[in-house]
Amino acid sequence: MRVSTNTVADQLLSQIQSLGRKQARLQNQVSTGQKIFEAEDNPAAVGRVLNLESEQRQIGQFGRNINRALSLSEASFAGLQAVKKVSDRAGELGVLGAAVNGAAASSAYASEVDQLIEQTLQTGNSRLGSDYLFAGLAVDAAPFVATRDVNGRITTVAYAGDANRPAIPVSETSSLTPATSGATNLGLRDFLNHLVALRDALNANSSAAVSAVQGNLIASEDQLISAIAEQGGVQTRIEAALGQQKDRATALERLVSSETDADLPTTLVKLNQATTAYQAALQSGAKIMQMSLLDYIR
């Protein structure tokens, strides 16, 4: 069978080009440490990597959600602790006011309670960023609204927030509610009104009225302690969720790396082999292309 010179040249050129492409691909793998540059390199691996990267993005969003939840829980916890300190002092003033005191002493105690009321109202209307902490889902408006007398003193406090609280997704199957509950927020409102009642009883210098308010203050403090304990439990869950997502992110990174990272020792060996084959093909091609029909006739 006769093989034309053009056919030999075309086959030789095709082989050299194929070896050249293989050498270039291996050189890219060595220089970048990556073994996939185009979908055609390994379609199955590319599909797996795309799925893994999609999961990575989802985990990234969960991580941001968890950080937001942790910030909200920590801010709520700090606010409740601040109110608890006010409650402790109010309890002390209640004990002092229930004893037999003169009008001047009771008035001084009442003035201090008045400042505690203002402090608690400010804490209740505190914000994290632009959102009110103790407002439930109605985060755009101050949750505690005070009514004042002609002298500017608070006479009563109403709750204008929402009874629900936001649920923040921290995984595909679970969400957390790091904000305080509706019952806790209403309890803060009641505590403020108990402080108002204590102040008024002290201004009236009435030991009996002060004693009557003390029971309500104790109930409010018990509710505060429960709310603080709940926030502590929420933070524990948030930290556990954060650790879980970090472990998932690390595992996914390893999986993506196993699909895309080149095995440098193996790749270097293959590159040397491809380079040797490419150079040999060039040398053989040069000799073959120099031959003509006369060489065979001789």
Side-chain angles (χ1 to χ4, degrees):
M1 181 179 67
R2 187 181 65 175
V3 179
S4 68
T5 304
N6 287 340
T7 301
V8 172
D10 290 343
Q11 290 177 345
L12 180 60
L13 181 60
S14 176
Q15 182 67 17
I16 291 174
Q17 289 175 339
S18 176
L19 289 171
R21 287 192 296 269
K22 182 178 181 180
Q23 182 185 32
R25 184 172 66 254
L26 291 169
Q27 285 174 335
N28 283 337
Q29 290 180 9
V30 170
S31 61
T32 64
Q34 301 294 305
K35 62 183 178 182
I36 297 177
F37 300 96
E38 298 177 354
E40 293 78 6
D41 293 339
N42 191 333
V46 169
R48 292 191 295 269
V49 169
L50 290 175
N51 289 333
L52 291 171
E53 289 179 343
S54 176
E55 189 174 352
Q56 282 181 315
R57 289 190 294 271
Q58 189 176 33
I59 289 176
Q61 183 59 58
F62 287 140
R64 290 186 289 274
N65 290 351
I66 291 170
N67 287 329
R68 170 65 181 174
L70 184 59
S71 297
L72 183 55
S73 179
E74 289 175 342
S76 300
F77 185 83
L80 291 173
Q81 283 191 315
V83 176
K84 174 64 169 58
K85 291 180 181 179
V86 171
S87 177
D88 292 341
R89 181 53 182 164
E92 295 171 358
L93 292 173
V95 171
L96 293 172
V100 178
N101 300 297
S106 291
S107 179
Y109 297 151
S111 296
E112 184 175 351
V113 173
D114 202 41
Q115 295 303 311
L116 295 178
I117 295 170
E118 297 288 350
Q119 180 181 340
T120 305
L121 179 65
Q122 182 178 0
T123 301
N125 286 332
S126 58
R127 291 191 260 192
L128 177 63
S130 59
D131 296 341
Y132 285 93
L133 280 175
F134 302 103
L137 294 176
V139 296
D140 295 332
F144 298 100
V145 180
T147 301
R148 299 177 183 269
D149 61 18
V150 294
N151 296 316
R153 296 188 309 173
I154 296 174
T155 58
T156 186
V157 177
Y159 183 67
D162 187 83
N164 300 306
R165 51 181 170 177
I168 299 178
V170 295
S171 74
E172 294 88 346
T173 59
S174 63
S175 299
L176 291 175
T177 51
T180 51
S181 66
T184 297
N185 297 338
L186 291 175
L188 292 175
R189 176 205 62 187
D190 294 340
F191 175 63
L192 279 161
N193 287 317
H194 296 332
L195 289 177
V196 171
L198 176 62
R199 180 203 61 200
D200 294 344
L202 289 169
N203 274 327
N205 194 23
S206 171
S207 298
V210 171
S211 296
V213 174
Q214 281 184 299
N216 292 332
L217 290 173
I218 292 172
S220 289
E221 180 157 358
D222 290 341
Q223 189 175 20
L224 278 170
I225 292 172
S226 296
I228 290 172
E230 180 186 6
Q231 285 300 315
V234 169
Q235 287 186 34
T236 299
R237 289 186 61 195
I238 292 173
E239 290 168 357
L242 183 60
Q244 182 182 18
Q245 296 301 344
K246 284 182 177 179
D247 290 342
R248 286 184 64 189
T250 301
L252 283 172
E253 187 65 31
R254 286 198 297 266
L255 289 173
V256 171
S257 178
S258 68
E259 295 285 0
T260 61
D261 290 355
D263 182 352
L264 288 181
T266 301
T267 304
L268 284 170
V269 171
K270 290 181 179 180
L271 176 59
N272 288 333
Q273 292 172 344
T275 301
T276 300
Y278 181 69
Q279 291 173 348
L282 288 176
Q283 292 172 359
S284 299
K287 292 180 180 179
I288 291 172
M289 296 305 293
Q290 289 173 2
M291 296 177 65
S292 68
L293 182 59
L294 293 176
D295 294 306
Y296 292 99
I297 293 174
R298 294 193 194 106

